[in-house]
Amino acid sequence: MPTMTPQNDITTGILTFLDRIGIAVVLEAIPGDTFLPAMAIRDGALVVDLARLTHPGDLLHEAGHIAVTDPAARPTLGDVPPDGGEEMAAIAWSYAAARAIGIDPRIVFHDHGYKGGGAHLAALFDAGDYLALPLLQWFGMAYDAPTAKAHGAAPFPQMQRWLR
């Protein structure tokens, strides 16, 4: 049995969470470069090359793209270009997922991602500046504080649904 390290403990926790919420993960070697190292999206599933994975938090960002995609398009989803509202929704989703798993959001928003702005994004979310929350709310996935109170539910970063 391989020795567990903090990084693969985090990876295991993330993969267990993704399985629990219904995001398919395929573990296989990925030849060549991908937008985020060691992972891709294929047919609505997250494909991961564990031997090459260097930033396990990136799994949550890519899973966020799958989660916020229209359910009718999800089965055919491939790699998603990093632009538009769904990019911001995936960022917000990945913050909520990190909190739900119990990992530091800076594992998702690390120094090598988000064009060097990962720490800034984590600080914004930690301060309650929830970028893209209106989009998650429109998708029926999360509530802002007033809407949550009206529904007797917990507000974001608590999610009402993990998949759109």
Side-chain angles (χ1 to χ4, degrees):
M1 177 181 227
T3 302
M4 294 305 286
T5 65
Q7 180 164 318
N8 61 22
D9 282 349
I10 291 167
T11 301
T12 299
I14 290 170
L15 294 175
T16 299
F17 171 79
L18 297 178
D19 180 62
R20 183 175 58 80
I21 65 168
I23 292 181
V25 176
V26 176
L27 303 177
E28 66 182 34
I30 300 174
D33 293 333
T34 53
F35 182 74
L36 286 178
M39 65 192 73
I41 299 173
R42 183 176 64 223
D43 300 327
L46 182 59
V47 181
V48 182
D49 185 340
L50 288 177
R52 295 178 46 215
L53 183 65
T54 56
H55 298 290
D58 289 347
L59 296 168
L60 289 179
H61 180 80
E62 287 302 278
H65 282 292
I66 296 167
V68 303
T69 295
D70 183 311
R74 194 176 301 127
T76 59
L77 184 66
D79 286 330
V80 181
D83 58 358
E86 287 189 6
E87 172 69 15
M88 294 306 297
I91 290 170
W93 185 95
S94 63
Y95 176 82
R99 288 290 185 206
I101 295 167
I103 62 173
D104 185 334
R106 282 154 185 78
I107 292 170
V108 177
F109 303 114
H110 54 82
D111 292 337
H112 301 286
Y114 305 95
K115 298 182 180 180
H120 178 70
L121 283 171
L124 286 173
F125 279 102
D126 285 346
D129 189 354
Y130 298 138
L131 306 169
L133 176 54
L135 193 51
L136 290 179
Q137 188 161 293
W138 186 59
F139 291 161
M141 299 174 77
Y143 293 138
D144 61 19
T147 305
K149 185 175 181 178
H151 285 87
F156 184 86
Q158 179 73 38
M159 298 291 285
Q160 301 307 305
R161 294 185 329 184
W162 286 106
L163 299 176
R164 178 175 170 189

